[in-house]
Amino acid sequence: MSNLQDPRVFFALERTLLAWNRTSLGLIAFGFLLERSTVLAHLLDPKNYATKILLSKIFAVIVILFGMGLSLLSARQYKVALKSLSQVELIEGYRTDLPMMLTIFNVLCGIFLVITFFI
């Protein structure tokens, strides 16, 4: 429990979750970039570059999964810390589930990207 009796503690907690979500979304985007970096090699000579294309795809999936895991872990940490706040630190009527929706969106984006890599 924080015992600060200040709503700014809650906003700091929310900013931290949003920063982790931004980082995880950046990792997911980087994984997409890694996977798409072999498009030219795939068009020019797919047989010669087959191993490079496969390794790039595998590494991209690993980076995307890491971003998704980071997003989920930060959401869990947010929920744990949110339970430790007192009623004075929370704002009445303020929705605390909106950052969690962003986390779900990040994870869904990662899932859809990984699915499109193998279709």
Side-chain angles (χ1 to χ4, degrees):
M1 182 173 244
S2 62
N3 293 328
L4 294 177
Q5 309 300 325
D6 191 358
R8 290 181 291 180
V9 174
F10 166 70
F11 288 127
L13 179 64
E14 191 174 57
R15 277 192 309 272
T16 303
L17 174 65
L18 293 174
W20 281 112
N21 274 332
R22 191 170 49 244
T23 302
S24 66
L25 193 59
L27 284 170
I28 291 170
F30 182 63
F32 173 75
L33 180 69
L34 284 174
E35 201 277 332
R36 294 299 170 194
S37 66
T38 58
V39 169
L40 184 62
H42 187 67
L43 290 175
L44 293 177
D45 194 5
K47 289 186 181 185
N48 263 352
Y49 296 109
T51 56
K52 289 183 181 181
I53 292 169
L54 181 65
L55 286 176
S56 175
K57 191 173 287 202
I58 289 171
F59 188 61
V61 168
I62 289 170
V63 170
I64 290 172
L65 291 175
F66 181 70
M68 290 167 39
L70 185 66
S71 189
L72 290 172
L73 286 174
S74 64
R76 182 179 172 275
Q77 185 174 347
Y78 171 76
K79 281 295 193 185
V80 167
L82 195 62
K83 288 179 185 176
S84 72
L85 297 179
S86 66
Q87 280 300 102
V88 178
E89 293 166 317
L90 297 174
I91 300 167
E92 189 173 332
Y94 190 83
R95 294 185 59 178
T96 59
D97 60 341
L98 293 177
M100 298 301 288
M101 288 181 196
L102 182 63
T103 300
I104 293 169
F105 178 75
N106 282 353
V107 171
L108 288 177
C109 283
I111 290 170
F112 289 138
L113 272 178
V114 170
I115 288 171
T116 59
F117 290 168
F118 295 103
I119 290 180

